[in-house]
Amino acid sequence: MTEKTQPPAYGPHSASTDLPTQYTPADVEGKLYERWVERGYFAADAKSEKEPYAIVIPPPNVTGSLHLGHAFEHTLIDALTRRKRMQGFETLWQPGMDHAGIATQNVVERELAKEGKSRHDLGREAFVERVWQWKAESGGQISGQMRRLGDGVDWSRERFTMDEGLSQAVQTIFKRLFDDGLIYRAERIINWCPRCLTAISDIEVEYQEDDGELVSIRYGEGEDSLVVATTRAETMLGDTAVAVHPADERYAHLVGRTVRLPLTDRSIPVIADEHVDPEFGTGAVKVTPAHDPNDFEIGRRHGLPQLTIMDEHAIITAHGPFLGLDRLEARSAVVAALRAEGRIVDEKRPYRHSVGHCSRCKTTIEPRLSMQWWVKVAPLAKAAGDAVRDGRVTIHPKEMSARYFEWVDNLHDWCISRQLWWGHRIPVWYGPDGETVCVGPDEEPPSGAGWHQETDVLDTWFSSGLWPFSTLGWPEETESLARFYPNAVLVTGYDILFFWVARMMMFGLYAMDGVPPFHTIALHGMVRDQFGKKMSKSFGNTVNPLDWMDAYGSDAVRFTLARGANPGVDVPIGEDWVQASRNFANKIWNATRFALLNGATVEGDLPSPEEMSSTDRWILSRLHSVVAEVDAYYDDYQFAKLSDALFHFAWDEVFDWYVELSKTTFAAGGRPAEITRRVLGEVLDVTLRLLHPVTPFVTDELWTTLTSGESVVVAAWPRDSGFRDPAAEREIDAVRQLVTEVRRFRADQGLQPGQRVPATLDLTAAAGLAAHEDAIRSLLRLQPAGEDFAATATLPVAGATVALDLSGAIDFEAERKRLTKDLAVAEKELAQTTAKLGNEAFLAKAPDHVVDKIRARRAAAESDISRITDQLSRLP
């Protein structure tokens, strides 16, 4: 880049001053969004010759509403797509919703319960019709909330995972996987919800610390006995072995023998298995293959019987005194019976341990042996891992790659069947003689006596795993599929890296001939409260983003979220931060209004640098540096850094310095004022365009008023011209340093901000500062020195000397007394904290955070003493 090149011009426009005195988001946001949609700004054209840029929305549940996590993710995606649209790409942000099988079925079943009915009273077809009716009337409220946020999605392409086209895609890929031997039916351990009566996925299991009991039970007699510990005593009724580690000498003599299982008339073998940790507990574990996933694998290795002792409602089915009891009732009864037999060796109550619960109904999950449909994931997962390893797909931040590989390299087969009525029904028919036929979308199912379809539906993640290509028309070879697959980037939370991202990778590579569904996976963290705590209804710290939008505007919410978005890192957020962002939006509004009232314009070419003042060259130099900086941050998905860079440039440099410095120029008039009006218009034009992707509403309202352009949504994204003027930057930095230091001195002396004092300025030794004397005096409220001027304070700053006469502005004696009193307080604080930190006994006992707090107090006291001493020395 050259050090000085001509700044670019962006074409002639005329400006208007027709802006209200205050910015009211509610008066702007709704009408603007509808205008954007009506004008088709967000519509993607598959026939366009522009370079494509496509992103899918992680489909929210049709039952859901916009929570802060949605608002966060949507803000990031919208910022990316708005920028790419401005850069001239054919941009598609694909919207849609997930049918959310279990969640939606639960909602409708609750509605039926209010009528005193169950789904079984209606029957399957009538119940499914009732769900569709609910979806049409009540589902999808999130669409309206997305509009409130400003989501620039192509609404004409909105999809639903149960619509006709996506249903065809589901049936097509199921058939292909089945025919390739990658889908099969088998009896395995799954997560079972006894309330929802279905298998559920790992992501639908919420783990929390519950109070339970840990009981240690003696199996066998005398020296040939073993002690096992369990939090689920009722499952011992289904034990088929006790396992120890092969190298554990304590039990070597028992391996291969049997022990009596208490409360039953059965004897079970003692087996040796590498899975057992000899250091944990007694080193012996009970094995219940039908009710524990680890035990199931041990059982398969050793050919153990699989005894199911509960039904789908978690009611005990094992014959004996516990038959018919609920699992929790049985737990207490079993422990009591064992105690009566003298089998209880130890009891720990309460015992805090992690317990899985159904995320929908909060019922405790029961591991259960069940006949289900499965995907054989090994070849699919290998392909998903290879695509990242060979660079076809990049994970950002790269540190997350290790977590991705850990998951895809160790995937177990995926249970895809759910015992629900709402969802994609598995396209398999069973015949009267044990036949199994998988039916594709263009095939007729078998008919006749004894033929019936599988009653289970597919896991919701099965259909959402097809999202990047099914939404574009696959399995048909559509223009949209050819144009927008693969997507440019997937923006999603690291928490569903395994559950959703891995499935999209597996299915995309399988269905699209080895082409991955996206080039980049950009992972973000989770939104937390301002104290870093997870947001949860049980904690009482959840936030409805619509409440913040109502109070502060959507731009304020968006800017706050983007400013906290560091890649892969959780985002703490508090209402005071949203208030600060609202203040920023107001600052943008007020600064633009000031500029318009003073004739700022974007009309005509920019004057040459030789005509400009150093102030004008400084701000243009900084402007194009920021353009380059923001571009680099966008390309690296550094939303927090780009937002912070824009905030500080706009507020600190444009509004607080350039606008203030321009006031002196405007007051003087003439050609310099004309030039500054054009430069100020240029700076605001570019700054508003840079801010637009994150704060779309206020920037569009201001940009169209400033430029009379159609909309900033379709304006060109700024480019770095390479214009740099280091000399002008050094000169204005010196002005800023001088003004800042003198302002600090004035505040320390107790002067009011608007209070004028006589002063002399010696700027001859500071290069370039003399040209800014009028501006410096204006900013510092310094009036010229009169005949009776007598300096009471002299400040050498930035190569200049500022002498002030404070004799008529300050009661020096009163100020000396105040500062002396403050100094005594600071010295006392320093003595107390130093004494504490010198006390070895205190340091040995006090917690680290207490010691750190005292160290901070001592440092603050030292700083106060230095500051007050300096202030006293400056008093005459």
Side-chain angles (χ1 to χ4, degrees), residues 218-226 343:
R218 185 175 300 281
Y219 285 19
E221 310 297 337
E223 294 182 359
D224 292 341
S225 65
L226 305 92
R343 293 285 176 177

Side-chain angles (χ1 to χ4, degrees), residues 39-120:
R39 291 180 178 178
Y41 292 157
F42 307 141
D45 182 5
K47 299 181 184 296
S48 170
E49 295 183 359
K50 298 178 182 177
E51 185 177 348
Y53 184 85
I55 299 181
V56 295
I57 188 173
N61 289 351
V62 69
T63 58
S65 61
L66 192 73
H67 58 64
L68 208 54
H70 286 129
F72 173 55
E73 187 166 77
H74 290 203
T75 294
L76 305 187
I77 299 174
D78 196 41
L80 290 174
T81 52
R82 284 179 182 270
R83 172 175 175 257
K84 286 295 183 180
R85 188 178 294 112
M86 295 172 75
Q87 287 181 317
F89 287 75
E90 190 60 39
T91 304
L92 168 62
W93 184 10
Q94 172 70 58
M97 285 180 286
D98 192 280
H99 65 279
I102 191 170
T104 306
Q105 179 158 319
N106 279 348
V107 168
V108 178
E109 285 197 82
R110 283 197 294 271
E111 293 296 313
L112 284 175
K114 295 175 184 177
E115 304 170 13
K117 298 178 182 178
S118 73
R119 60 181 164 124
H120 300 284

